[in-house]
Amino acid sequence: VKVILKLKIIPFSFYTEDQDYFATFSFLPSSVIPYFVCLLFRSIYDDQPNAHKRFMEKLDARIRNHDREIEKMCNFHHQGFVDAITELLKVRADAEKLMGQVTDTNRRLQEAGREVTAQTEEVIRCRIQQRNMATTVEKLQLCIPGTRLLNSPKNNSPKWIVEPLKAIYIHLVSQYRFCQIMAENLPRLREEIKDISMSDLKDFLESIRKHSDKVGETAMRQAQQHRTFNSAVAKQASMGHYMKPVYSLSGQTHTHNGLMMDDTGDEEEADEEVLTAHDLVDFSPVYRCLHIYTVLGDRETFENYYRKQRKKQARLVLQPQANMHETVEGYRRYFNQIVGFFVVEDHILHATRGLVTRAFTDELWNMALSKIIAVLRTHSSYCNDPDLVLELKNLIVIFADTLQGYGFPVNRLFDLLFEVRDQYNETLLKKWALVFRWIFELDNYSPIPVETEEEYKLVVSRFPFHDAEVEKQDFPKKLPMSQSVPQIYTQVKEFIYASLKFSESLHRSSTEIDDMLRKSTNLLLTRTLSSCLQNLIKKPHIGLTELVQIIINTTHLEQACRYLEEFITNITNVSPETVHTTRLYGLSTFKDARHAAEGEIYTKLNQKIDEFIQLADYEWGMAESDGRASGYLMDLINFLRSTFQVFTHLPGKVAQTACMSACKHLSTSLMQMLLDTELKQVSMGAIQQFNLDVIQCECEHK
């Protein structure tokens, strides 16, 4: 636009022949030149009158000048042009020939290069494929970590980790459509993975519910073997011998992922591998589910679910069977399930970080301990078999030792054992009451006859009998007590042994065990044996002879009480002079029984006198007496004479008291007969006869 404006102000006279201002248009675009020319012509016509004529004249002169220059130029180059045309005509034939040769050569080249072209195209196609393959390989290399994570054998579905896949690998291949699909499906995959892992966990919980008894059985068996091994070592050490351990113990009774190693006493079992909770149970579902929920940021939900489910299972485990008290297997299954439950929880506590806590396991254990104690109190009260109670005690001890090895407090269980001990003693007392009754029923209440020295030694070996006068007698001879005495003494010792069995493995001192044995023995003597003796004395078929023998028997049993104390002392190694040592109450027991027997003798003797008195048939109106004592009185005197002969084996005071009691009772009975209110009159002959009877009694008394 600036150039055009400049041209508009140029005067027409400025255009001369010596200047070619149109040459200045050469720099303009062809589309602009027409507009410029129009503007130029307009400027020429607008400047001066008749300017266009003058312009045309100048233009014609300029054209003629150029025509002359063109003509000169043509004349100057005409000959050269003619020569050139002539030469071109000469080479025309050669050019045509060359054209034919070129065409033929081109044809032959095309034919020859067609195969090369095909191969070249194949090479190009292969190069493109190679380039695409290289690109594909390069891109797939970016996908390999994710696919490896997805398809690894260690992380097979649903074990693969979504968050690292999403955070690390997806952005590397985010431009691909499959990656976009994967990114869209990741939320769904997360939920599917959680559901699958939770399903595996539920299967695990169901499985562990079924296999808890097996885990508990293994743990309790190993705890029992461990205790047996320690007892054997302690026994060998006390004997002054060194025993090389069969097992290589770890030095700890508990490890977080295993059970205790122990000795079974069998060389073949010594080579067996010690099973652990991890060997018996596959915990991988728990680890896997915990890891998945942790990675997915939902660990708290998983922890709450796991703890809630385990609490429910704990309540189910603690529910006893209705007839559990009938057999020891019921108790064993109950304990095995509980031990298995807590062994699994202990393993989870140490193998995982925070899934369960010590506070959580302690809470479960406290709940379980209260329930266990209540169940055992209830069911043990139904047990009437001492052997079953003893096996229950052994199970409780093994149960407590097993869980104590895993760090659970069990003091309340050992306190419960004292209650079970009382129940055990009650069942023992009931059992021995039947034994004592059976012994008394089978006794003939006669002195023990011994024909030979071997028989005498056999009796003495069962009962501590020492009598110098009897030992001096020749065989055959009789021992003063009846057969029930050595049997009772033997059964008391058996009771002490049975009571001692319960005291074993209670982690109590010898003094405490000695005290328990003496107390239980006192109960046997003062309650059971005393009751049996009292019932025996009161039985109608027990006569005076049997009562006399019972008194003799109780005397020998009373003398044997000190040997029972020595027997307990030898078992417990506790001196009887110890301050807190309980004394046996057998002395008072047998004294009371003897006094009861003596009183029963007096009663039965008076009853027998009454029977003879009832046979008296005085003729109170008789004219004169028979001159001799009445027949009933003579029979009574003969009976008393034979009875008092039996009383010679009794202590003198007892026989004397019996005689005085009989005479007094006879005297009273005769007086009552004479002073009977129904007696209306008595003849002198009847009085003489009654007087003869009294005189006969006086003579016999002297």
Side-chain angles (χ1 to χ4, degrees):
V1 175
K2 291 181 180 180
V3 173
I4 295 173
L5 292 176
K6 287 182 179 181
L7 291 176
K8 287 181 67 176
I9 64 174
I10 297 175
F12 178 73
S13 60
F14 185 74
Y15 295 96
T16 62
E17 295 179 358
D18 297 332
Q19 295 180 347
D20 189 359
Y21 290 100
F22 288 101
T24 60
F25 298 158
S26 62
F27 71 92
L28 294 174
S30 59
S31 60
V32 179
I33 292 176
Y35 299 101
F36 177 75
V37 173
C38 291
L39 292 174
L40 180 62
F41 287 162
R42 186 174 182 177
S43 176
I44 293 173
Y45 281 92
D46 290 341
D47 288 341
Q48 297 177 4
N50 300 321
H52 62 285
K53 293 181 179 180
R54 297 178 57 190
F55 175 75
M56 292 300 297
E57 292 176 356
K58 292 290 183 178
L59 185 60
D60 290 338
R62 184 68 177 174
I63 291 172
R64 287 192 299 272
N65 186 27
H66 278 291
D67 287 340
R68 285 193 299 271
E69 290 179 359
I70 292 171
E71 185 178 357
K72 290 179 181 180
M73 181 65 70
C74 288
N75 292 332
F76 179 76
H77 292 288
H78 176 70
Q79 188 60 42
F81 176 74
V82 172
D83 293 338
I85 292 300
T86 303
E87 290 180 359
L88 284 174
L89 292 174
K90 290 181 180 179
V91 297
R92 180 177 182 178
D94 295 333
E96 292 178 354
K97 182 179 179 180
L98 180 60
M99 184 63 182
Q101 292 178 352
V102 169
T103 302
D104 182 62
T105 301
N106 179 59
R107 181 182 56 75
R108 288 187 285 106
L109 285 174
Q110 291 295 332
E111 293 177 356
R114 186 175 293 110
E115 184 178 355
V116 176
T117 302
Q119 293 179 356
T120 302
E121 292 176 353
E122 181 67 22
V123 170
I124 293 172
R125 188 178 63 81
C126 291
R127 292 289 177 85
I128 294 174
Q129 289 180 349
Q130 289 179 351
R131 182 185 63 189
N132 294 339
M133 291 171 63
T135 304
T136 303
V137 169
E138 179 182 357
K139 300 303 180 181
L140 288 177
Q141 290 291 342
L142 300 177
C143 303
I144 286 177
T147 55
R148 284 179 177 174
L149 184 65
L150 177 63
N151 297 318
S152 173
K154 296 181 180 179
N155 295 313
N156 52 7
S157 179
K159 298 179 183 178
W160 65 306
I161 307 171
V162 176
E163 292 302 322
L165 184 66
K166 179 179 179 181
I168 301 175
Y169 303 111
I170 287 183
H171 75 277
L172 298 177
V173 290
S174 57
Q175 67 272 25
Y176 301 110
R177 187 175 63 179
F178 79 89
C179 180
Q180 297 175 359
I181 296 174
M182 184 182 296
E184 293 174 357
N185 290 332
L186 278 180
R188 180 179 57 80
L189 291 176
R190 288 162 59 99
E191 295 302 323
E192 289 182 359
I193 291 172
K194 290 172 63 175
D195 294 341
I196 294 173
S197 61
M198 184 58 69
S199 177
D200 290 344
L201 178 67
K202 292 178 180 178
D203 293 340
F204 167 80
L205 293 175
E206 180 65 23
S207 175
I208 200 62
R209 174 73 178 88
K210 297 178 180 178
H211 294 87
S212 290
D213 55 346
K214 180 63 177 178
V215 177
E217 179 185 0
T218 302
M220 290 184 65
R221 182 175 65 251
Q222 292 176 352
Q224 183 178 11
Q225 293 169 351
H226 184 73
R227 187 181 63 182
T228 304
F229 174 78
N230 289 338
S231 300
V233 172
K235 184 177 180 180
Q236 291 292 333
S238 63
M239 296 174 62
H241 298 290
Y242 172 76
M243 184 176 71
K244 183 178 180 181
V246 179
Y247 290 86
S248 176
L249 299 177
S250 62
Q252 297 180 349
T253 57
H254 165 66
T255 56
H256 72 272
N257 59 354
L259 304 176
M260 292 178 289
M261 182 180 293
D262 21 282
D263 181 33
T264 62
D266 194 337
E267 295 180 357
E268 295 181 357
E269 295 181 0
D271 297 331
E272 293 182 358
E273 182 181 0
V274 177
L275 297 178
T276 64
H278 191 271
D279 297 327
L280 298 173
V281 180
D282 181 15
F283 290 94
S284 58
V286 180
Y287 305 148
R288 182 166 57 249
C289 197
L290 174 63
H291 182 63
I292 289 174
Y293 272 75
T294 302
V295 171
L296 297 180
D298 205 9
R299 179 188 177 104
E300 184 177 356
T301 301
F302 173 72
E303 291 178 355
N304 293 335
Y305 176 81
Y306 178 83
R307 296 178 184 181
K308 181 179 179 181
Q309 294 301 316
R310 290 300 278 169
K311 280 186 178 180
K312 290 182 179 179
Q313 288 191 342
R315 294 187 180 95
L316 292 175
V317 166
L318 295 172
Q319 291 296 329
Q321 298 179 356
N323 57 346
M324 185 177 71
H325 61 277
E326 296 180 357
T327 62
V328 70
E329 290 302 322
Y331 289 106
R332 182 174 285 110
R333 286 193 298 269
Y334 182 66
F335 287 135
N336 286 343
Q337 290 181 357
I338 296 174
V339 171
F341 177 88
F342 283 100
V343 167
V344 170
E345 283 305 294
D346 183 79
H347 180 84
I348 293 294
L349 172 65
H350 292 87
T352 60
R353 296 182 179 179
L355 178 56
V356 295
T357 62
R358 175 56 67 181
F360 174 75
T361 56
D362 290 343
E363 179 185 357
L364 284 180
W365 172 244
N366 291 330
M367 177 193 70
L369 193 58
S370 300
K371 181 66 175 179
I372 292 168
I373 291 175
V375 168
L376 293 179
R377 281 174 177 167
T378 302
H379 285 265
S380 63
S381 63
Y382 298 133
C383 294
N384 296 321
D385 184 4
D387 294 334
L388 179 59
V389 179
L390 182 62
E391 291 181 350
L392 173 60
K393 166 258 174 181
N394 293 330
L395 285 176
I396 294 175
V397 171
I398 298 171
F399 174 75
D401 289 345
T402 303
L403 290 176
Q404 189 176 31
Y406 284 87
F408 296 100
V410 294
N411 293 332
R412 293 176 61 187
L413 286 175
F414 284 103
D415 294 338
L416 174 67
L417 285 174
F418 287 97
E419 300 179 19
V420 179
R421 182 197 64 188
D422 296 338
Q423 176 67 19
Y424 178 69
N425 286 335
E426 289 297 325
T427 57
L428 285 182
L429 293 176
K430 292 179 181 179
K431 178 180 178 180
W432 257 259
L434 296 176
V435 172
F436 290 152
R437 293 193 190 103
W438 184 251
I439 291 174
F440 289 142
E441 289 292 335
L442 297 180
D443 194 10
N444 57 8
Y445 298 99
S446 301
I448 301 175
V450 287
E451 302 293 335
T452 61
E453 185 176 359
E454 287 73 15
E455 293 182 4
Y456 177 78
K457 290 181 179 180
L458 180 62
V459 175
V460 173
S461 65
R462 297 170 57 195
F463 179 77
F465 174 76
H466 302 286
D467 192 327
E469 295 182 0
V470 175
E471 292 177 357
K472 292 178 181 179
Q473 296 176 4
D474 297 331
F475 292 99
K477 53 187 175 182
K478 293 183 178 181
L479 303 182
M481 65 280 189
S482 66
Q483 191 66 43
S484 63
V485 173
Q487 294 176 352
I488 293 293
Y489 182 81
T490 302
Q491 287 301 321
V492 172
K493 292 173 66 176
E494 291 295 330
F495 177 87
I496 295 173
Y497 277 127
S499 181
L500 179 64
K501 289 180 181 179
F502 193 93
S503 302
E504 295 175 347
S505 306
L506 291 184
H507 309 295
R508 299 294 175 180
S509 63
S510 299
T511 303
E512 292 175 314
I513 295 176
D514 181 86
D515 185 66
M516 287 188 290
L517 287 179
R518 292 178 184 272
K519 288 181 178 179
S520 59
T521 305
N522 279 331
L523 286 176
L524 177 71
L525 296 177
T526 59
R527 211 172 79 183
T528 304
L529 182 56
S530 177
S531 176
C532 291
L533 285 172
Q534 295 291 341
N535 293 332
L536 175 65
I537 292 170
K538 298 295 182 180
K539 286 185 176 181
H541 71 276
I542 298 297
L544 293 172
T545 304
E546 287 80 5
L547 289 173
V548 171
Q549 188 62 53
I550 289 173
I551 293 175
I552 296 173
N553 291 347
T554 54
T555 302
H556 287 282
L557 288 173
E558 180 182 349
Q559 295 172 356
C561 283
R562 62 188 182 91
Y563 295 102
L564 291 176
E565 289 189 345
E566 293 178 0
F567 177 72
I568 296 175
T569 300
N570 293 333
I571 292 177
T572 60
N573 293 324
V574 176
S575 174
E577 285 76 19
T578 305
V579 177
H580 301 289
T581 301
T582 303
R583 309 297 298 181
L584 291 183
Y585 301 147
L587 297 177
S588 61
T589 298
F590 295 119
K591 284 181 180 179
D592 293 341
R594 187 163 58 253
H595 291 162
E598 293 172 359
E600 191 67 19
I601 286 177
Y602 306 150
T603 301
K604 288 185 177 297
L605 190 58
N606 293 337
Q607 290 176 354
K608 199 67 176 177
I609 292 174
D610 291 339
E611 292 177 2
F612 281 101
I613 293 296
Q614 291 176 1
L615 297 176
D617 187 16
Y618 285 103
E619 295 182 6
W620 297 109
M622 60 188 307
E624 60 179 284
S625 65
D626 294 337
R628 53 188 177 85
S630 301
Y632 83 92
L633 185 62
M634 295 305 298
D635 293 338
L636 174 59
I637 291 173
N638 292 331
F639 167 75
L640 292 176
R641 186 182 293 114
S642 62
T643 300
F644 291 152
Q645 185 68 31
V646 176
F647 287 175
T648 56
H649 299 289
L650 294 175
K653 185 178 179 180
V654 176
Q656 183 179 1
T657 303
C659 180
M660 293 299 296
S661 175
C663 292
K664 183 177 180 179
H665 185 71
L666 178 58
S667 174
T668 302
S669 299
L670 291 174
M671 182 63 70
Q672 290 177 352
M673 185 185 301
L674 185 63
L675 299 178
D676 189 1
T677 57
E678 295 182 358
L679 184 61
K680 301 301 181 180
Q681 81 179 39
V682 180
S683 64
M684 185 57 68
I687 293 176
Q688 292 176 352
Q689 183 63 42
F690 191 83
N691 186 45
L692 290 174
D693 292 342
V694 173
I695 293 172
Q696 184 67 35
C697 290
E698 289 177 349
C699 294
E700 292 296 333
H701 181 265
K702 293 179 180 180

PDB file of all heavy atoms in Angstrom, residues 372-386:
ATOM      1  N   ILE A 372     -14.681 -72.518  82.020  1.00  0.00           N
ATOM      2  CA  ILE A 372     -14.108 -73.853  82.259  1.00  0.00           C
ATOM      3  C   ILE A 372     -14.295 -74.251  83.714  1.00  0.00           C
ATOM      4  O   ILE A 372     -14.696 -75.383  84.029  1.00  0.00           O
ATOM      5  CB  ILE A 372     -12.618 -73.866  81.874  1.00  0.00           C
ATOM      6  CG1 ILE A 372     -12.458 -73.706  80.353  1.00  0.00           C
ATOM      7  CG2 ILE A 372     -11.945 -75.150  82.337  1.00  0.00           C
ATOM      8  CD1 ILE A 372     -11.039 -73.426  79.925  1.00  0.00           C
ATOM      9  N   ILE A 373     -14.003 -73.333  84.624  1.00  0.00           N
ATOM     10  CA  ILE A 373     -14.123 -73.643  86.047  1.00  0.00           C
ATOM     11  C   ILE A 373     -15.575 -73.960  86.400  1.00  0.00           C
ATOM     12  O   ILE A 373     -15.867 -74.912  87.139  1.00  0.00           O
ATOM     13  CB  ILE A 373     -13.587 -72.464  86.880  1.00  0.00           C
ATOM     14  CG1 ILE A 373     -12.063 -72.359  86.703  1.00  0.00           C
ATOM     15  CG2 ILE A 373     -13.929 -72.639  88.350  1.00  0.00           C
ATOM     16  CD1 ILE A 373     -11.451 -71.166  87.379  1.00  0.00           C
ATOM     17  N   ALA A 374     -16.510 -73.166  85.859  1.00  0.00           N
ATOM     18  CA  ALA A 374     -17.925 -73.433  86.128  1.00  0.00           C
ATOM     19  C   ALA A 374     -18.350 -74.790  85.586  1.00  0.00           C
ATOM     20  O   ALA A 374     -19.076 -75.550  86.255  1.00  0.00           O
ATOM     21  CB  ALA A 374     -18.778 -72.319  85.522  1.00  0.00           C
ATOM     22  N   VAL A 375     -17.888 -75.124  84.375  1.00  0.00           N
ATOM     23  CA  VAL A 375     -18.245 -76.413  83.768  1.00  0.00           C
ATOM     24  C   VAL A 375     -17.674 -77.570  84.577  1.00  0.00           C
ATOM     25  O   VAL A 375     -18.365 -78.560  84.858  1.00  0.00           O
ATOM     26  CB  VAL A 375     -17.749 -76.461  82.311  1.00  0.00           C
ATOM     27  CG1 VAL A 375     -17.835 -77.878  81.753  1.00  0.00           C
ATOM     28  CG2 VAL A 375     -18.562 -75.509  81.446  1.00  0.00           C
ATOM     29  N   LEU A 376     -16.411 -77.455  84.975  1.00  0.00           N
ATOM     30  CA  LEU A 376     -15.779 -78.546  85.717  1.00  0.00           C
ATOM     31  C   LEU A 376     -16.418 -78.712  87.093  1.00  0.00           C
ATOM     32  O   LEU A 376     -16.568 -79.848  87.573  1.00  0.00           O
ATOM     33  CB  LEU A 376     -14.283 -78.275  85.854  1.00  0.00           C
ATOM     34  CG  LEU A 376     -13.482 -78.320  84.549  1.00  0.00           C
ATOM     35  CD1 LEU A 376     -12.024 -78.014  84.810  1.00  0.00           C
ATOM     36  CD2 LEU A 376     -13.616 -79.677  83.878  1.00  0.00           C
ATOM     37  N   ARG A 377     -16.782 -77.601  87.722  1.00  0.00           N
ATOM     38  CA  ARG A 377     -17.459 -77.724  89.017  1.00  0.00           C
ATOM     39  C   ARG A 377     -18.779 -78.468  88.875  1.00  0.00           C
ATOM     40  O   ARG A 377     -19.121 -79.331  89.690  1.00  0.00           O
ATOM     41  CB  ARG A 377     -17.703 -76.331  89.595  1.00  0.00           C
ATOM     42  CG  ARG A 377     -16.479 -75.702  90.237  1.00  0.00           C
ATOM     43  CD  ARG A 377     -16.778 -74.279  90.656  1.00  0.00           C
ATOM     44  NE  ARG A 377     -15.631 -73.672  91.333  1.00  0.00           N
ATOM     45  CZ  ARG A 377     -15.528 -72.374  91.586  1.00  0.00           C
ATOM     46  NH1 ARG A 377     -16.503 -71.547  91.216  1.00  0.00           N
ATOM     47  NH2 ARG A 377     -14.461 -71.898  92.203  1.00  0.00           N
ATOM     48  N   THR A 378     -19.506 -78.128  87.820  1.00  0.00           N
ATOM     49  CA  THR A 378     -20.814 -78.752  87.630  1.00  0.00           C
ATOM     50  C   THR A 378     -20.693 -80.230  87.300  1.00  0.00           C
ATOM     51  O   THR A 378     -21.336 -81.086  87.922  1.00  0.00           O
ATOM     52  CB  THR A 378     -21.582 -78.022  86.521  1.00  0.00           C
ATOM     53  OG1 THR A 378     -21.725 -76.641  86.872  1.00  0.00           O
ATOM     54  CG2 THR A 378     -22.943 -78.637  86.310  1.00  0.00           C
ATOM     55  N   HIS A 379     -19.861 -80.544  86.320  1.00  0.00           N
ATOM     56  CA  HIS A 379     -19.789 -81.927  85.836  1.00  0.00           C
ATOM     57  C   HIS A 379     -19.029 -82.834  86.797  1.00  0.00           C
ATOM     58  O   HIS A 379     -19.345 -84.028  86.896  1.00  0.00           O
ATOM     59  CB  HIS A 379     -19.138 -81.955  84.453  1.00  0.00           C
ATOM     60  CG  HIS A 379     -20.042 -81.465  83.365  1.00  0.00           C
ATOM     61  ND1 HIS A 379     -20.808 -82.309  82.605  1.00  0.00           N
ATOM     62  CD2 HIS A 379     -20.322 -80.214  82.925  1.00  0.00           C
ATOM     63  CE1 HIS A 379     -21.523 -81.614  81.732  1.00  0.00           C
ATOM     64  NE2 HIS A 379     -21.239 -80.337  81.908  1.00  0.00           N
ATOM     65  N   SER A 380     -18.025 -82.307  87.484  1.00  0.00           N
ATOM     66  CA  SER A 380     -17.298 -83.163  88.421  1.00  0.00           C
ATOM     67  C   SER A 380     -18.170 -83.576  89.591  1.00  0.00           C
ATOM     68  O   SER A 380     -17.933 -84.621  90.214  1.00  0.00           O
ATOM     69  CB  SER A 380     -16.044 -82.439  88.924  1.00  0.00           C
ATOM     70  OG  SER A 380     -16.395 -81.264  89.648  1.00  0.00           O
ATOM     71  N   SER A 381     -19.175 -82.746  89.897  1.00  0.00           N
ATOM     72  CA  SER A 381     -20.068 -83.108  91.009  1.00  0.00           C
ATOM     73  C   SER A 381     -20.902 -84.346  90.692  1.00  0.00           C
ATOM     74  O   SER A 381     -21.427 -84.989  91.600  1.00  0.00           O
ATOM     75  CB  SER A 381     -20.988 -81.927  91.333  1.00  0.00           C
ATOM     76  OG  SER A 381     -21.825 -81.616  90.233  1.00  0.00           O
ATOM     77  N   TYR A 382     -21.031 -84.680  89.395  1.00  0.00           N
ATOM     78  CA  TYR A 382     -21.783 -85.866  89.005  1.00  0.00           C
ATOM     79  C   TYR A 382     -20.932 -87.137  89.028  1.00  0.00           C
ATOM     80  O   TYR A 382     -21.474 -88.232  88.871  1.00  0.00           O
ATOM     81  CB  TYR A 382     -22.363 -85.696  87.600  1.00  0.00           C
ATOM     82  CG  TYR A 382     -23.348 -84.555  87.478  1.00  0.00           C
ATOM     83  CD1 TYR A 382     -23.268 -83.655  86.427  1.00  0.00           C
ATOM     84  CD2 TYR A 382     -24.356 -84.376  88.406  1.00  0.00           C
ATOM     85  CE1 TYR A 382     -24.173 -82.604  86.303  1.00  0.00           C
ATOM     86  CE2 TYR A 382     -25.261 -83.341  88.297  1.00  0.00           C
ATOM     87  CZ  TYR A 382     -25.170 -82.454  87.247  1.00  0.00           C
ATOM     88  OH  TYR A 382     -26.055 -81.420  87.144  1.00  0.00           O
ATOM     89  N   CYS A 383     -19.635 -86.996  89.193  1.00  0.00           N
ATOM     90  CA  CYS A 383     -18.736 -88.149  89.118  1.00  0.00           C
ATOM     91  C   CYS A 383     -18.783 -88.924  90.428  1.00  0.00           C
ATOM     92  O   CYS A 383     -18.541 -88.356  91.503  1.00  0.00           O
ATOM     93  CB  CYS A 383     -17.302 -87.699  88.828  1.00  0.00           C
ATOM     94  SG  CYS A 383     -17.094 -86.944  87.203  1.00  0.00           S
ATOM     95  N   ASN A 384     -19.074 -90.196  90.343  1.00  0.00           N
ATOM     96  CA  ASN A 384     -19.074 -91.077  91.502  1.00  0.00           C
ATOM     97  C   ASN A 384     -17.944 -92.090  91.463  1.00  0.00           C
ATOM     98  O   ASN A 384     -17.770 -92.851  92.423  1.00  0.00           O
ATOM     99  CB  ASN A 384     -20.415 -91.818  91.594  1.00  0.00           C
ATOM    100  CG  ASN A 384     -21.574 -90.872  91.823  1.00  0.00           C
ATOM    101  OD1 ASN A 384     -21.457 -89.906  92.579  1.00  0.00           O
ATOM    102  ND2 ASN A 384     -22.700 -91.133  91.168  1.00  0.00           N
ATOM    103  N   ASP A 385     -17.210 -92.092  90.372  1.00  0.00           N
ATOM    104  CA  ASP A 385     -16.110 -93.031  90.211  1.00  0.00           C
ATOM    105  C   ASP A 385     -14.801 -92.318  90.531  1.00  0.00           C
ATOM    106  O   ASP A 385     -14.432 -91.357  89.852  1.00  0.00           O
ATOM    107  CB  ASP A 385     -16.080 -93.570  88.775  1.00  0.00           C
ATOM    108  CG  ASP A 385     -15.011 -94.622  88.584  1.00  0.00           C
ATOM    109  OD1 ASP A 385     -14.346 -94.998  89.570  1.00  0.00           O
ATOM    110  OD2 ASP A 385     -14.817 -95.063  87.434  1.00  0.00           O
ATOM    111  N   PRO A 386     -14.070 -92.743  91.572  1.00  0.00           N
ATOM    112  CA  PRO A 386     -12.811 -92.058  91.905  1.00  0.00           C
ATOM    113  C   PRO A 386     -11.769 -92.161  90.802  1.00  0.00           C
ATOM    114  O   PRO A 386     -10.960 -91.248  90.635  1.00  0.00           O
ATOM    115  CB  PRO A 386     -12.348 -92.766  93.182  1.00  0.00           C
ATOM    116  CG  PRO A 386     -13.071 -94.072  93.195  1.00  0.00           C
ATOM    117  CD  PRO A 386     -14.362 -93.828  92.513  1.00  0.00           C
TER     118      PRO A 386
END
